[in-house]
């Protein structure tokens, strides 16, 4: 139980650290709206789960991107092609997660209001 407790505290520290990042804050605030909205928009448990999961996935990818950026910044401030590649691919992962979530939400809204 002690290990679980300490792991939980470390995770909370990670969320606090991520909150200092503007992108994570924006996505987290949007998630606070969209996750509850998914319970209204989803017509069954599977749709609700996919809608909510797509939003949470964006947060997860943003956390991983922030971790990569912090590790690269820890190495040093000088420019290096591998550091740029790591940061760029992390950013691309966030973009893909956002596009996926946007596509899922657009399809659900279309199904609910247009089709």
């Amino acid at each position: 139980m002690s290990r679980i407790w300490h792991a939980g505290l470390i995770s909370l520290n990670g969320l606090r650290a991520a909150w200092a990042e503007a992108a994570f804050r924006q996505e987290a605030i949007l998630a606070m709206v969209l996750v509850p909205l998914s319970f209204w928009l989803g017509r069954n448990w599977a749709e609700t789960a996919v809608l909510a999961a797509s939003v949470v996935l964006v947060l997860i990818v943003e956390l991983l991107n922030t971790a990569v950026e912090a590790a690269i910044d820890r190495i040093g401030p000088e420019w290096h092609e591998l550091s740029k590649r790591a940061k760029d691919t992390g950013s691309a992962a966030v973009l893909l997660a956002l596009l996926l979530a946007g596509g899922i939400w657009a399809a659900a809204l279309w199904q609910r209001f247009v089709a």
Side-chain angles (χ1 to χ4, degrees):
M1 256 338 233
S2 175
R3 194 199 76 68
I4 293 171
W5 174 258
H6 289 293
L9 292 176
I10 290 168
S11 296
L12 287 175
N13 286 338
L15 289 171
R16 278 191 213 101
W19 191 257
E21 299 290 325
F24 182 79
R25 271 195 317 275
Q26 292 168 347
E27 293 158 353
I29 291 167
L30 188 59
M32 290 177 208
V33 173
L34 292 180
V35 170
L37 189 60
S38 70
F39 287 91
W40 172 78
L41 185 59
R43 293 186 293 183
N44 56 47
W45 74 267
E47 287 182 10
T48 301
V50 169
L51 287 164
S54 69
V55 174
V56 173
L57 178 65
V58 170
L59 295 176
I60 292 168
V61 175
E62 186 66 55
L63 286 168
L64 293 172
N65 182 48
T66 299
V68 167
E69 288 183 354
I72 295 301
D73 290 345
R74 166 64 176 92
I75 292 169
E78 65 278 350
W79 186 90
H80 192 279
E81 178 58 35
L82 292 176
S83 297
K84 180 182 182 329
R85 188 183 312 167
K87 288 185 170 194
D88 289 352
T89 54
S91 179
V94 173
L95 174 64
L96 290 177
L98 287 166
L99 290 173
L100 175 65
I104 289 169
W105 277 82
L109 289 167
W110 177 272
Q111 186 69 26
R112 175 94 170 189
F113 296 110
V114 178

